[in-house]
Amino acid sequence: MPPISEGSTTAASNSETAVETIGLTKRFGERVAIDGVDLRVPRGSAFGFLGPNGAGKTTMIRMLLGLTHASAGSMSLLGRPVPAERAQALERVGAIVEEPRFHPHLSGRENLRIVAAVRGPHVHARIGPALARVGLAERADEKVKKYSLGMRQRLGVARCLLADPLLLILDEPTNGLDPGGIQEFREMVRAMVEQEGRTVFLSSHLLDEVEKICDHAAIVDRGKIVVQGAISELAEGATQHELIVGVDDLDGALAVLDGCEQAREARRSDEGLRVVLDDGSGWSAAERAAAINAALVGSGIAVSRLEPVRQSLEQRFLEVTSRLSDTTEEVRA
Ligand code: ATP
């Protein structure tokens, strides 16, 4: 697939962040939709802005694009302050905020030609590569009214690519796509990030999707960022650590672990034993695992496996949001 980027950063400074906000706030009357958000989206990342319905994702995206004013705080896109240098920043930003609309009686290629005519003659050369990048080269001359939703979404991305964007902002881009469409979309985003060095910022309420497509994420809930960073670190940041333990004597091991203060809970599982580590202060998870191993071996039990359970982002998300609702209950009580 031919790369489209010309590698130019003329319209944007060389800042390492594609999006940065400080104390960004949006109020609708009494309602605070975005509440003092500090967001940092590294350049060259696929960044998931993840939260349940009503969390504030669309409001955030609309503010970034200048479609609605912030009530307080500051923000920059590609190192340029917005709204002060909004026009220059947006020159290298492509966005899809709602389902992309096209002239249905024209073909995909003709729709892109109209956009290119507005943007300038140099943009015409990007039409073919953009259609190829989104996998529409062979269907580009069919009327858009014959396109599936997934094809229209991809044509929307192709339209964004005409600006040779350094940053793509996509609001719930996989809404309504079937599993095959989601898979194609995922591969397209990964290629745009890994092969072309673009940054893709996408909002989603689907944890699994963000985990598969993105390398960085922020979890947003009720207008506030609960946690943000590299997905691998977000998942590891979970407070509950578990081990899978393989032993030659399950009952003997359970008896030993019952008296071992580093193990909060132990139970049988398909893999052998699942051991939840105690999260008291002073010991790292690795030190606790070593202590559990020593206790078992010291009691004559052979240990064939001792493996940390990798927490998924979903576990982390559930942990964070359930903690939030606990806090809310405490405040109400
Ligand atoms: P969804 O996934 O359902 O689209 P979201 O995370 O995108 O949700 P937003 O649409 O940003 O959430 O809405 C955040 C909050 O702000 C909600 O409580 C919503 O009702 C409120 N809100 C959004 N736009 C307006 C508006 N124009 N006037 C008043 N309240 C609004």
Side-chain angles (χ1 to χ4, degrees):
M1 205 75 69
I4 301 159
S5 175
E6 292 160 4
S8 152
T9 56
T10 47
S13 87
N14 288 322
S15 116
E16 286 178 7
T17 48
V19 178
E20 188 158 16
T21 72
I22 300 170
L24 196 65
T25 300
K26 177 70 183 179
R27 293 186 204 93
F28 294 106
E30 297 280 292
R31 180 178 292 136
V32 185
I34 291 290
D35 192 358
V37 161
D38 298 337
L39 181 70
R40 195 176 171 281
V41 178
R43 278 218 195 193
S45 64
F47 193 99
F49 196 55
L50 175 65
N53 290 338
K57 304 182 295 296
T58 301
T59 303
M60 182 74 179
I61 286 177
R62 290 178 63 80
M63 271 195 290
L64 291 176
L65 297 171
L67 300 175
T68 186
H69 292 298
S71 310
S74 62
M75 58 190 150
S76 65
L77 290 182
L78 301 169
R80 291 189 176 269
V82 178
E85 296 180 25
R86 177 171 175 264
Q88 295 96 318
L90 291 187
E91 268 178 45
R92 299 298 301 273
V93 176
I96 305 179
V97 183
E98 275 154 14
E99 191 189 317
R101 290 179 197 281
F102 299 97
H103 299 289
H105 56 286
L106 298 180
S107 70
R109 193 188 309 277
E110 286 165 338
N111 269 279
L112 296 195
R113 281 194 187 129
I114 291 173
V115 178
V118 175
R119 286 190 165 263
H122 63 292
V123 175
H124 276 279
R126 293 185 190 145
I127 293 177
L131 287 165
R133 159 52 70 223
V134 303
L136 278 181
E138 292 182 1
R139 308 283 303 268
D141 296 309
E142 284 178 37
K143 290 185 176 170
V144 167
K145 67 181 177 192
K146 293 189 183 165
Y147 282 13
S148 66
L149 173 63
M151 290 166 74
R152 287 202 302 277
Q153 294 280 30
R154 285 189 275 145
L155 187 61
V157 174
R159 183 165 61 189
C160 290
L161 290 176
L162 296 184
D164 189 19
L166 293 168
L167 169 65
L168 279 110
I169 298 180
L170 309 172
D171 192 16
E172 302 260 7
T174 61
N175 256 4
L177 297 189
D178 60 22
I182 292 174
Q183 164 90 10
E184 285 172 4
F185 177 82
R186 184 191 313 156
E187 286 164 9
M188 188 177 75
V189 168
R190 293 304 327 165
M192 289 194 296
V193 170
E194 286 164 13
Q195 296 166 20
E196 297 163 12
R198 304 184 200 274
T199 307
V200 177
F201 177 94
L202 61 91
S203 71
S204 175
H205 61 278
L206 300 172
L207 297 153
D208 180 55
E209 176 180 295
V210 166
E211 204 167 19
K212 285 186 178 142
I213 300 178
C214 301
D215 44 74
H216 284 70
I219 298 177
V220 59
D221 191 55
R222 292 173 237 178
K224 289 185 194 279
I225 298 231
V226 181
V227 63
Q228 66 180 308
I231 286 193
S232 53
E233 289 166 18
L234 295 186
E236 279 165 16
T239 53
Q240 178 162 300
H241 293 278
E242 273 187 53
L243 293 177
I244 297 167
V245 183
V247 289
D248 64 345
D249 174 3
L250 289 176
D251 290 332
L254 284 169
V256 171
L257 293 174
D258 198 31
C260 175
E261 65 181 55
Q262 307 309 331
R264 191 195 322 151
E265 186 190 321
R267 62 182 188 281
R268 290 168 184 268
S269 76
D270 292 346
E271 305 107 323
L273 294 178
R274 279 274 185 143
V275 181
V276 179
L277 302 185
D278 191 79
D279 59 1
S281 59
W283 291 57
S284 70
E287 287 167 339
R288 287 178 205 286
I292 284 170
N293 186 41
L296 291 169
V297 173
S299 303
I301 293 170
V303 178
S304 55
R305 184 180 181 194
L306 196 74
E307 185 185 323
V309 176
R310 197 183 160 275
Q311 294 254 1
S312 71
L313 186 59
E314 181 162 12
Q315 284 165 303
R316 177 69 168 141
F317 181 77
L318 292 174
E319 194 182 300
V320 162
T321 46
S322 62
R323 204 184 302 143
L324 276 182
S325 64
D326 289 350
T327 317
T328 314
E329 292 306 319
E330 278 165 27
V331 171
R332 281 192 195 131

